[in-house]
Amino acid sequence: MKEKMGMVKVLDMQRSSRRLGWLMMLAGLPLATMAHGGSHQYGPYPASYAEECGSCHVPYPPQRMTAAGWETQMRTLKQHYGTDASVEAAANQAITAYLLANASPKDKSAPADPTARMTKTRWFVKEHGATPPKGLSFSNCTGCHTQAEKGDFDERTLKTPTGWRHGD
């Protein structure tokens, strides 16, 4: 009997130790990685990404497009939607590494067109519809997501235009 109770204590301690290990591991994950769990908080972004990409538009959450999509984006910066958005080689490598490390593994986040527009992914169209609110474009995230520049796309910071319904 004493031996059985001792074994139960050992098993309980092993379970507790495993749980603690998991908690410690989760606590050490970067916030961007944690966002996959349903949160819409993706920032803060690395400075190079926020500065280079954020100088023209909101830095998009890397978790919302696949690695292949980000590779296309970074490879075609010389002709980035009508603009030369080239960056220095070191910055390109750092940004590409960040985007690929945090890219979505899900097919719904794969670009549906050769230009790899995030607004053409299945996820984006399902979430936002096919037509942006009147007077706005889908590339202007801050038009509705008031804290998008900080990587916060949470619904509590969402302000859609009066009368706009998903997919109008």
Side-chain angles (χ1 to χ4, degrees), residues 31-43 61 63-64 123 151-156:
L31 183 60
T33 304
M34 298 288 286
H36 281 294
S39 168
H40 296 288
Q41 304 265 344
Y42 302 96
Q63 298 86 346
R64 290 299 172 193
W123 164 81
D152 181 353
F153 289 79
D154 199 276
E155 298 210 0
R156 67 180 165 65

Side-chain angles (χ1 to χ4, degrees), residues 5-166:
M5 288 188 65
M7 190 66 137
V8 169
K9 282 186 180 181
V10 168
L11 289 174
D12 284 344
M13 286 175 60
Q14 286 176 338
R15 277 191 213 114
S16 294
S17 178
R18 276 196 301 269
R19 284 187 193 122
L20 182 60
W22 277 105
L23 288 172
M24 289 173 70
M25 183 183 78
L26 287 173
L29 288 175
L31 183 60
T33 304
M34 298 288 286
H36 281 294
S39 168
H40 296 288
Q41 304 265 344
Y42 302 96
Y45 300 117
S48 61
Y49 180 58
E51 289 166 14
E52 293 290 353
C53 301
S55 66
C56 294
H57 57 76
V58 168
Y60 299 122
Q63 298 86 346
R64 290 299 172 193
M65 194 154 58
T66 59
W70 288 121
E71 285 174 329
T72 298
Q73 289 290 332
M74 295 305 292
R75 188 177 58 250
T76 59
L77 287 177
K78 189 116 176 107
Q79 298 172 355
H80 191 66
Y81 307 109
T83 302
D84 182 353
S86 300
V87 296
E88 292 183 21
N92 189 304
Q93 281 183 317
I95 293 168
T96 300
Y98 167 71
L99 294 171
L100 297 182
N102 290 283
S104 175
K106 300 176 181 177
D107 286 341
K108 68 181 182 179
S109 295
D113 71 347
T115 64
R117 287 185 185 269
M118 182 179 292
T119 58
K120 301 292 184 189
T121 63
R122 283 193 347 251
W123 164 81
F124 190 95
V125 172
K126 180 182 177 201
E127 193 73 20
H128 298 86
T131 308
K134 190 173 183 139
L136 295 175
S137 77
F138 280 142
S139 62
N140 177 17
C141 302
T142 56
C144 297
H145 296 279
T146 61
Q147 300 298 308
E149 289 178 1
K150 298 177 184 175
D152 181 353
F153 289 79
D154 199 276
E155 298 210 0
R156 67 180 165 65
T157 64
L158 181 66
K159 186 176 181 182
T160 54
T162 304
W164 186 74
R165 293 176 306 164
H166 175 88

